Amino acid sequence: QVQLVESGGGLVQAGGSLRLSCAASGRTFSRYALGWFRQAPGQEREFVAAISWIGGSALYADSVKGRFTTSRDNAKNTLYLQMNSLKPEDTAVYYCAARYLIATYHARDYDYWGQGTQVTVSS
């Protein structure tokens, strides 16, 4: 079992930055791939970024490449999403998710989810 709790959301102006955190419980945190997804009102949940259990290269959606960076600290059981150059279209509830070992792009592949944190970018 893995429990996930996101934090760090808020209101920011376009062009600004935010860093989201996802604190995980569970002794086998390091064995899980971790992902970020987001969902805007009236839209489907979409992939943002993900990182496999051993870290290394992360996966990113085209819409956030070059602006967002995800990383993990296995010693702290924490996943991060650094978001720079934010745009109004980045406004959404951001969720972190976990699945065993290998990161994928698809929400259906992830077994554990946090409750989400709201990110609002004003123009």
Side-chain angles (χ1 to χ4, degrees), residues 5-18:
V5 179
E6 303 94 336
S7 61
L11 174 63
V12 64
Q13 288 188 333
S17 298
L18 280 175

Side-chain angles (χ1 to χ4, degrees), residues 3-83:
Q3 293 183 328
L4 305 168
V5 179
E6 303 94 336
S7 61
L11 174 63
V12 64
Q13 288 188 333
S17 298
L18 280 175
R19 188 175 83 154
L20 305 184
S21 299
C22 175
S25 64
R27 293 182 296 174
T28 58
F29 173 82
S30 62
R31 289 286 188 172
Y32 283 84
L34 302 166
W36 291 99
F37 294 79
R38 66 187 182 186
Q39 188 168 19
Q43 298 187 20
E44 294 186 353
R45 192 167 297 190
E46 65 172 359
F47 172 79
V48 176
I51 187 166
S52 292
W53 71 285
I54 56 173
S57 297
L59 307 176
Y60 293 97
D62 288 343
S63 58
V64 306
K65 278 181 182 176
R67 300 189 299 122
F68 290 12
T69 302
T70 192
S71 60
R72 64 189 294 164
D73 185 337
N74 287 343
K76 295 183 178 180
N77 280 15
T78 303
L79 172 71
Y80 302 100
L81 183 68
Q82 178 65 45
M83 305 186 294

Side-chain angles (χ1 to χ4, degrees), residues 100-120:
Y100 198 59
L101 293 183
I102 304 301
T104 72
Y105 294 94
H106 307 294
R108 64 177 180 268
D109 294 336
Y110 289 77
D111 301 305
Y112 304 101
W113 291 84
Q115 83 289 348
T117 186
Q118 176 71 47
V119 171
T120 303

